[in-house]
Amino acid sequence: QLFSGSSRQCVCGGASWQKFGGCSVAAMIYIFNGCKSICALPGQACTECGKCCASMNCEPIKDCCDTTGKSCTQFMDKPLSSFVFIAWGKSLMELFFCYSAMSAPPIKNCVFTDGTGAAIGITNWLYVQMAFAALNMVFAPWFQHQVWEQVKNDVTQQAGGMVITAPSTTLPKEVVAHAFKQVMMYDLGVLFYFFALIGSFVWSWMGGSWILEQNSTCNSTGDAGWAYYMGLCFWWVAAAYSFCWYCCPCCTSSVQISAPIQSYGPA
């Protein structure tokens, strides 16, 4: 580290940063890219499988593997791909716990005694919890689609479309940040989901309090307990992603594309 007055020059992995905290940002970018590479392994495996099939003159399977590999790779190239993965994984777990709780015979013994809880009941609470989980699964890819369309529009307007001259190109962080903020601030779908997410958090918290009150019969460490816990967690996941992508340059600086942006199509 070299200090000169109030500025600091950092060298992280060969990259020179001329601002305070640059090393931390650079390190975070490498972490994001490493996680993205791990998630992209299925797509790379399909691509290699296609090459293997090509050597055996098996064109139908080769075409299928090539298409699948390209789709996986381009999906991981786009912003918020990790958010979609986490949203689907967490929501599927929540759906599983809700279904398991409703299918278990002991659920009949779980009776809420609180006024509002008694009127709703454990089964109806679980049904609404499943509806919120399904909404999360729909919103995550839709939000990624909206951000990606905004990125494509901004790149097209600024540069007439980005042409790849190297194995991969990092999208300008200003373009990615502007697209994210534009969708976050002005898209009506995001506004709807914001209130739905608050409703989901409150619903999960209320259900959790009712389950804890009847812990002897509702089992807060069982499937019903995990169902409300997953509902609470997703609010924090969405809040953390919103904060990081809105405020942290390490997120918007980590978006790399491996082909001309026109070839990606919609998210």
Side-chain angles (χ1 to χ4, degrees), residues 133-154:
L135 177 63
N136 294 334
M137 295 178 69
V138 172
F139 174 80
W142 174 85
F143 184 54
Q144 184 196 39
H145 167 81
Q146 295 297 94
V147 173
W148 181 245
E149 288 299 309
Q150 186 65 47
V151 167
K152 289 172 59 181
N153 290 338
D154 291 347

Side-chain angles (χ1 to χ4, degrees), residues 148 152 155-156 159-164 257 259-266:
W148 181 245
K152 289 172 59 181
V155 169
T156 301
M162 184 168 290
V163 179
I164 300 299
I257 56 177
I261 197 169
Q262 299 93 331
S263 67
Y264 279 67

Side-chain angles (χ1 to χ4, degrees), residues 3-54:
F3 290 84
S4 177
S6 60
S7 64
R8 183 176 69 175
Q9 182 182 22
C10 302
V11 179
C12 298
S16 179
W17 295 74
Q18 296 289 339
K19 62 181 181 179
F20 181 80
C23 284
S24 298
V25 174
M28 289 300 296
I29 290 174
Y30 295 139
I31 293 174
F32 276 108
N33 288 337
C35 293
K36 189 180 89 170
S37 298
I38 293 174
C39 293
L41 288 176
Q44 295 173 7
C46 288
T47 301
E48 295 302 319
C49 180
K51 293 178 181 179
C52 181
C53 292

Side-chain angles (χ1 to χ4, degrees), residues 43 46-47 49-51 53 60-70:
C46 288
T47 301
C49 180
K51 293 178 181 179
C53 292
I61 298 180
K62 171 187 175 299
D63 293 340
C64 180
C65 290
D66 287 345
T67 301
T68 303
K70 179 181 178 182

Side-chain angles (χ1 to χ4, degrees), residues 80-94:
L80 298 169
S81 54
S82 59
F83 174 68
V84 177
F85 262 104
I86 293 174
W88 270 70
K90 193 214 69 69
S91 297
L92 287 173
M93 291 176 63
E94 187 173 358

Side-chain angles (χ1 to χ4, degrees), residues 242-255:
S242 298
F243 174 80
C244 289
W245 278 83
Y246 200 92
C247 303
C248 183
C250 59
C251 296
T252 55
S253 300
S254 65
V255 180

